[in-house]
Amino acid sequence: ETGVTQTPRHLVMGMTNKKSLKCEQHLGHNAMYWYKQSAKKPLELMFVYNFKEQTENNSVPSRFSPECPNSSHLFLHLHTLQPEDSALYLCASSLQSSSYNEQFFGPGTRLTVL
Amino acid sequence: AQTVTQSQPEMSVQEAETVTLSCTYDTSESNYYLFWYKQPPSRQMILVIRQEAYKQQNATENRFSVNFQKAAKSFSLKISDSQLGDTAMYFCAFMEETSGSRLTFGEGTQLTVNP
């Protein structure tokens, strides 16, 4: 595998379910990001991790819980989501987040909340 | 707060022709970076071109070039000799030099290249 991978690519869940999205980067980067992409809206930055430490939480509801066990893996744990949370969730990585570095994106997970 | 505006939700162009996508932004910062990202139907977002605000020369990458007008806060993307593979959503994005790697995106322009 190369670049940034995300699993699953598609996920359908009910509002009472608990699920997790996974992101893995094979680029030797130290910063990882979660974005939400909704139709007709700009990408919204959700969380930033730099060297496994969360450096940014962009006022994301607590029903989204990120986890970064190491610099290569990033998870987004989901519980009691709402239908308006349906979107494409993109993961990205960069060398680090404390200075300018190009971000590389994964293919995304298409989430549908019923 | 920084904002990025793409006023063209959809555009189309004939194969081999040239198309220009527009982007404007708002910031009080003097040092920043501007980007165009491409998101094909497979959804993997890739960087097309980057411009540093302190550089007066417009960036070019093969068939892709930008028209950066700092005073007007305008950053348009020109695609020459359009190809079918250029069909994608294009996002303009902004990053302050002091914000680390925090990107602010526009709403995107869906470009369709017709045969």
Side-chain angles (χ1 to χ4, degrees):
Chain A
E1 293 276 13
T2 58
V4 182
T5 58
Q6 291 186 242
T7 55
R9 294 294 306 274
H10 301 272
L11 178 63
V12 179
M13 59 187 291
M15 290 191 286
T16 58
N17 291 158
K18 289 184 180 181
K19 297 287 184 183
S20 295
L21 310 184
K22 179 183 177 182
C23 174
E24 184 173 1
Q25 58 91 5
H26 309 268
L27 301 168
H29 289 166
N30 298 298
M32 297 189 78
Y33 311 77
W34 278 118
Y35 289 88
K36 177 183 180 182
Q37 185 178 11
S38 304
K40 311 275 186 202
K41 293 177 67 175
L43 273 75
E44 302 170 56
L45 179 64
M46 301 175 71
F47 301 102
V48 180
Y49 279 82
N50 198 37
F51 293 92
K52 301 190 298 178
E53 298 297 319
Q54 187 181 117
T55 58
E56 187 156 354
N57 176 339
N58 199 21
S59 302
V60 180
S62 60
R63 57 186 183 270
F64 295 91
S65 175
E67 178 190 2
C68 189
N70 55 62
S71 292
S72 298
H73 294 85
L74 184 65
F75 296 89
L76 189 62
H77 304 299
L78 316 171
H79 62 98
T80 59
L81 294 191
Q82 305 299 311
E84 60 265 29
D85 297 323
S86 297
L88 182 69
Y89 288 85
L90 294 172
C91 173
S93 71
S94 68
L95 191 58
Q96 57 177 317
S97 68
S98 56
S99 60
Y100 166 71
N101 286 283
E102 180 181 343
Q103 290 186 27
F104 294 80
F105 285 82
T109 295
R110 171 65 64 186
L111 174 67
T112 303
V113 181
L114 302 176
Chain B
Q2 289 73 30
T3 58
V4 178
T5 302
Q6 294 178 249
S7 60
Q8 305 151 314
E10 297 179 357
M11 292 192 72
S12 62
V13 64
Q14 292 300 121
E15 196 174 6
E17 293 187 350
T18 295
V19 64
T20 298
L21 310 183
S22 64
C23 172
T24 58
Y25 58 94
D26 187 28
T27 183
S28 58
E29 300 294 321
S30 58
N31 297 321
Y32 49 87
Y33 302 90
L34 293 161
F35 309 86
W36 279 98
Y37 279 88
K38 171 185 178 181
Q39 188 180 40
S42 66
R43 303 197 183 279
Q44 191 110 25
M45 187 108 65
I46 57 173
L47 180 64
V48 174
I49 199 164
R50 180 188 76 210
Q51 175 80 42
E52 291 88 347
Y54 62 85
K55 290 187 177 179
Q56 293 185 344
Q57 187 173 5
N58 289 325
T60 62
E61 288 288 341
N62 300 313
R63 298 183 295 107
F64 298 87
S65 61
V66 299
N67 184 4
F68 173 46
Q69 301 289 329
K70 191 172 184 179
K73 296 181 182 176
S74 169
F75 183 61
S76 61
L77 174 69
K78 185 172 81 171
I79 306 174
S80 304
D81 185 25
S82 297
Q83 300 176 1
L84 296 179
D86 294 333
T87 293
M89 182 73 82
Y90 286 82
F91 292 96
C92 179
F94 170 96
M95 180 190 293
E96 284 182 352
E97 189 178 57
T98 56
S99 72
S101 296
R102 194 182 205 287
L103 282 167
T104 301
F105 285 87
E107 294 182 359
T109 296
Q110 175 62 50
L111 176 67
T112 301
V113 180
N114 299 309

